[in-house]
Amino acid sequence: MPIELPEPIAAYVEANARLDVEGMLKPFAEDAVFVEVGERLQGRAAVRKLIEEAVIPVKAIFTPDTVRHEGRQIVVEGPAHGDFPGSPLRFTYRFELENDTIKFLEVTL
């Protein structure tokens, strides 16, 4: 049974499955913060660069299988597969939403 995700997160995941940069970027707020493996990026331009340089070349596709709420955060977990060492790897995505956009996203292993 598929899990239910809030619309901005679902849109991001669906676009990621198509490796669609514009679709992945669309749900983010203009000033969104994205933290990946300790690196903190802010703003859509920085998020675009990360997607174009770290996601698309290795065809990294995240397939969430669990979701839970922890305070203001929506925690989504699941494997990501692609052309990278160790694939598939299990990731945790911690989202914070504001005004139907992704305001904050932290990705950890």
Side-chain angles (χ1 to χ4, degrees), residues 3-109:
I3 61 173
E4 281 195 41
L5 298 171
E7 179 53 36
I9 298 172
Y12 172 80
V13 169
E14 290 165 11
N16 173 239
R18 299 186 309 271
L19 295 172
D20 173 3
V21 175
E22 293 303 320
M24 291 172 70
L25 195 59
K26 188 176 180 181
F28 282 91
E30 284 295 327
D31 61 346
V33 172
F34 193 125
V35 179
E36 183 179 57
V37 193
E39 182 180 359
R40 181 185 174 94
L41 307 168
Q42 184 159 10
R44 273 188 162 175
V47 174
R48 173 188 295 281
K49 184 176 179 187
L50 174 73
I51 291 169
E52 290 176 344
E53 293 179 359
V55 176
I56 301 303
V58 298
K59 300 178 181 86
I61 297 175
F62 176 62
T63 308
D65 57 21
T66 64
V67 62
R68 67 182 180 279
H69 292 263
E70 291 182 1
R72 295 187 57 203
Q73 294 188 335
I74 300 161
V75 181
V76 182
E77 295 177 318
H81 67 277
D83 298 332
F84 54 86
S87 176
L89 294 173
R90 188 161 183 84
F91 286 89
T92 300
Y93 284 49
R94 295 180 172 276
F95 292 91
E96 289 181 21
L97 304 179
E98 182 178 278
N99 300 323
D100 293 322
T101 64
I102 299 169
K103 183 73 173 176
F104 175 85
L105 172 56
E106 180 178 22
V107 179
T108 57
L109 282 170

